[in-house]
Amino acid sequence: MSEVATRRISYSQALNEALSEEMERDPSVLMLGEDVAAPGGVFGVTKGLYEKFGENRVLDTPISEEAMVGAALGASLLGVPTVTEIMFGDFVTLAMDQLVNQAAKFHYMTGGRTSAPMVVRMVTGTAGATAAQHSQSLESWFTHTPGLKVVTASTPYEAKGLLKSAIRDPDPVMFFEHKLLYNSKGDVPEGEYTLPLGEGAVVREGTDVTVVAYLNMLPKVLQAAKKLDREGISVEVWNPRSLVPFDRAGLERTLSKTGRLVIVHEAPRRSGFGAEIAAIAAEEYFDSLKAPICRLGGANTPIPYAPEMENRVIPGVENIIEAVRQTLR
Amino acid sequence: MSEVATRRISYSQALNEALSEEMERDPSVLMLGEDVAAPGGVFGVTKGLYEKFGENRVLDTPISEEAMVGAALGASLLGVPTVTEIMFGDFVTLAMDQLVNQAAKFHYMTGGRTSAPMVVRMVTGTAGATAAQHSQSLESWFTHTPGLKVVTASTPYEAKGLLKSAIRDPDPVMFFEHKLLYNSKGDVPEGEYTLPLGEGAVVREGTDVTVVAYLNMLPKVLQAAKKLDREGISVEVWNPRSLVPFDRAGLERTLSKTGRLVIVHEAPRRSGFGAEIAAIAAEEYFDSLKAPICRLGGANTPIPYAPEMENRVIPGVENIIEAVRQTLR
Amino acid sequence: MPNNNLQNYNPEFLARLYHDMVLIRRFEERASELRNAGHIPGFLHPYIGQEAVAVGICAALGKNDFIASTHRGHGHILARGGEPKHMFAELYARQDGYNRAKGGSLHIANIELGIIGANGIVGGGIPLVVGAALAIKRANEADYPGTEKCAGGVSVVFFGDGASNEGSFHESLNLAALWKLPVIFVCENNLYGEFTSQEKHQTIKDIASRSSSYNMTGLIADGNDVLDVFHVMTTAVDNARKGNGPTLLECKTYRHRGHYEGDMAHYRPKEEVEFWMAKDPIDNFGKRLMEGSLMKKEDFQTVEDEIEKTLVDAAEFAGQSPHPDPEEALENVFVESYEGRALL
Amino acid sequence: MPNNNLQNYNPEFLARLYHDMVLIRRFEERASELRNAGHIPGFLHPYIGQEAVAVGICAALGKNDFIASTHRGHGHILARGGEPKHMFAELYARQDGYNRAKGGSLHIANIELGIIGANGIVGGGIPLVVGAALAIKRANEADYPGTEKCAGGVSVVFFGDGASNEGSFHESLNLAALWKLPVIFVCENNLYGEFTSQEKHQTIKDIASRSSSYNMTGLIADGNDVLDVFHVMTTAVDNARKGNGPTLLECKTYRHRGHYEGDMAHYRPKEEVEFWMAKDPIDNFGKRLMEGSLMKKEDFQTVEDEIEKTLVDAAEFAGQSPHPDPEEALENVFVESYEGRALL
Ligand SMILES: Cc1ncc(C[n+]2csc(CCOP(=O)(O)OP(=O)(O)O)c2C)c(N)n1
Ligand SMILES: Cc1ncc(C[n+]2csc(CCOP(=O)(O)OP(=O)(O)O)c2C)c(N)n1
Ligand SMILES: [Mg+2]
Ligand SMILES: [Mg+2]
């Protein structure tokens, strides 16, 4: 790999750059959302775009998620790509029909004769005692909805590269961000780049066990891996980046190397995307498995308010370490 | 087991009896839905209830799924149990917020100080060229939503016994029925009975492989099992009945007997409930597994209109036979 | 300004309106026969009785305009230029269908013809036209590839009285009004949502009055009078093109048949049915054309003959169109290859 | 019939209104301080400026009535009889909180007090009161266990101008009107939904006018005048209890602070803020009480002192309440044991 000049910027700035560059590249792209224009979004991701691209391209919507997403779809069907922000991922519940029955199926239902280049960005995850209706991680639902692509961004580098790809993608993309990552910093190339959907990444090489993680579980897993290193346990950390399309070959490569699998996500364990990964492994790479698979997910509970309970229901570094040890037992 | 007098009735009649008996038992139970009153529901499940219980207890709603489900929840929070029919399961997309952010979480968010005894019945599955927006099987989403119970009814016996339990249950229950089962007939006890949620059933005993199935895959699996019997393959068929709560002990029993697992459902394979079952097996019963797990699910596509394509995306008897054979290879 | 007076219209235009209504009627009758004969696997929601709405509305539209439709969509699609042969092929579930047999009656779409699509979800199409209008607005503002396909256009959604109770109706009207988008929301009030009459699903009579919640123009047309529909629609379209924003246009009408093919509609009072049958949009318009000496008896027969031939040919075309390969079911989940904008 | 004339009211009643408004104001100020001091982990949406609405509305309610609230819910809950100590304990995330530290500010509920709950979803509570009213109607019709807890009641939902654009608003009003349910839909129009002003989220000024879409009574109250709110609400409640159906009641008001604790609200014009500050509901009502010789200067101090003590005690109670055991997080997903109806 040739040397690429990079800068250290925040995840949130990386997203902002992606939006800005893509809106510049393609004069038709529109952005929609609640308080995304002058206010720049409640998490500040869209700051400055309204000033730069004007009120015709960065639109504040009333509080009406169903119409907002439906309108994004309608525009995209006519060749105007849209990026829609759902303020908290929990509110996607109000737009499910437009996403699931309309956006996901349009291309298919029309025999391939339409295309819906739309991105729906949403923030996910538990942080800061925002309780049950502002803390969920709902990505798994959308992986069960054929016709939607599902992308998670875990670092500033991914945030920018994946969001740019998502905006250029001809299909509807559900783009998941995490509250706790917005301020995290990382190296991002100076120039233009994109990251393909459907390609995972080995974030840390190791030989004893593969830990799959994304979003805010990734930094926790990396911490755990460091600690485990001191115990002489070598952890390979693999990040699928996009859940749909899913990089099976990447999973296979790491599994055939380690033979042990731990999957970590913040969403409730039951029927989370970890179940799908575990099932793939148990079906297709069964013979490479040297030990039972271990899934670590959020507890099968709503998210409680009190911080000590909040912590209890989300996998922590210690849980990850314990899970890895157990897999090696 | 002592002899119980039975009759042969249809699945749809069994549901109707459950509704009627429970509304008689408890004078507060209300029923809501689109065209459930005088018309008796588009699938005829609620026929006669309006005549029997009157317009104060069997309510036709306007076409507004969100308010309908929210109203059901509001009534149930005040101690009035409700049974709501969503005409086609696909339309549940319009009521997701009330189900997921409200009903599922109320008991939890209030520290256990409220209860929402509500049932949401919906018909699911692919049949009769009803295409992408009238054919889905969405049960997996709700298994990923802590606070909701998820029940499937695969026979008249189950339909009546499980629906009665669901209505008496203090928690919100998502109750899944299947289009193609409404006219199927089966033995149902004469008198009062209920079936507990959280208890699966061995539908057919066998020794070589366990096939897990529910809803309209169950009769297909039974057909396949019969055919396989002639090849000398002994299939145990296990029906979880309720997905949440899930009968782990039941799964363990059958797996420890056969050591081989095939899971069949109509919902898309990716992130379907089969993934969860496979993951449980690969985590907890790994050592009893003699072969890779095999999941058979709907294709990861929307449901197409043309019958020949419809057939292609839903597991058929031949696919099941092939999967079982492969697991034994 | 067009109005309800026959003399103000070009005779060919009037003949076309009549023709299009009859085409829809005969198409629906034929579809029902073909379904009963086992050629159509899915269910159908016949548009019979409401023809004046689809035809009057679409007659006011031009090339860059878009419509979104409903479960009861055949009439809209025919009025907007859908070809019976590709529609029958779709209903037959054959390769030459508009949607290559993947959609069926509930999902016929063709963006090139300005048809965003029928829709199986009641109210599901309403937000889509808000978006289409956004795209139109964007095309009006800026030049980018595809602009020419929708610049200057308006977008139109059909929906029923029942649909006017869905949240999507409310949210979409609010949005369109706020952004002054070129949308015409066409409510076909046929007095029933499935088996439930209007007074059992809402407490108002004039759905157009709901426009006041959005400070939007609300108009009512006699949905059984194609010229009235056209006339009122023209006002709405003019306003939309001038940038004066959306309109909620209610067309009062009635479906002659049950909710779907097979529903005997016993829930409707006999007098009501008779009242509306007497207001048949085709018979009445035909009579007016006769009285105005715009069509002669034999002209009607000519129309019928021509349509009969079209439909016979269309059904034959559909019957001869190949069945899809089952493996096609696995295609088109995602766009396979994508160079530039897919459609426009 | 109550009205806006002080002389028509019992002095104790008036004093209670004043007291309750001050209690809310001081509660919110204190909550903000406690949050800044690190005692409250979650975010807060202060109700300051809108006190007359909560107090006027709840003063018209009785024991069998129910309210559902919003993200900006502390005022409603206090006005309905919520105890500051259990509220602070909830905000502190302690065991003695109304929701045992599982809900926090956005979810405080107590069915025994007639509080169905605050709600983190804009518009999320609106359908719930339609259901509560259904339960009330059922209790009025039939005797079954729990009936006595809600028979004869009405149910009330608070929501904002922003929420009036959600589909749930539309669907719920339609349903309540259709079924003539005893619901009062109280829209607190404080001119903003988050950072977006009313004219940027809808094209109407009077949200009450949306009642016409449902043939429902729509009323407007001066949301900064507690007596006017009470007066108008009384009419609505009477109507509901008499079986005359629901009302949409808009209260025009303003929040003094930002959308949430920490929002500096720079998006609001200075003149607008000043205009509304001069209409402070507490100051103005206090002045009227003085002018009417219903409260003396020292009475105001007594109210302040009493409330100060209540809040100091409440904060102390909250601070001493035990932290939840983290393992409690795993409880209450489902009802553990269930004998008979859980609540009523
Ligand atoms: C969201 C949703 N709910 C319910 C249905 C079932 N359904 C199909 S058509 C229909 C009635 C629609 O009534 P209306 O909007 O008046 O249209 P009409 O059938 O009269 O043309 C219903 C309830 C549906 N398809 N989608
Ligand atoms: C469904 C949903 N969308 C968006 C939000 C984020 N949000 C919280 S409060 C709020 C503004 C609500 O405005 P309004 O209804 O006027 O109430 P106010 O805050 O003025 O009291 C928004 C957009 C939410 N909580 N729920
Ligand atoms: Mg209708
Ligand atoms: Mg507001």
Side-chain angles (χ1 to χ4, degrees), chain A residues 34-35 63 65 87 91 94 134, chain D residues 45 50 71-72 120-122 159-163 166 188 190 192-194 255 259:
Chain A
E34 292 164 13
D35 293 316
I63 315 176
E65 287 77 9
M87 191 186 290
F91 313 154
L94 288 156
H134 285 72
Chain D
H45 300 89
Q50 306 182 199
H71 57 286
R72 200 177 301 291
I121 301 297
V122 169
F159 57 95
D161 48 300
E166 285 279 14
E188 297 189 75
N190 63 7
Y192 286 83
E194 282 199 354
R255 58 168 152 79
H259 171 60

Side-chain angles (χ1 to χ4, degrees), chain A residues 14-26:
Chain A
L15 293 166
N16 187 277
E17 285 185 6
L19 292 166
S20 181
E21 288 178 18
E22 291 306 303
M23 289 185 75
E24 223 158 304
R25 186 187 57 79
D26 181 344

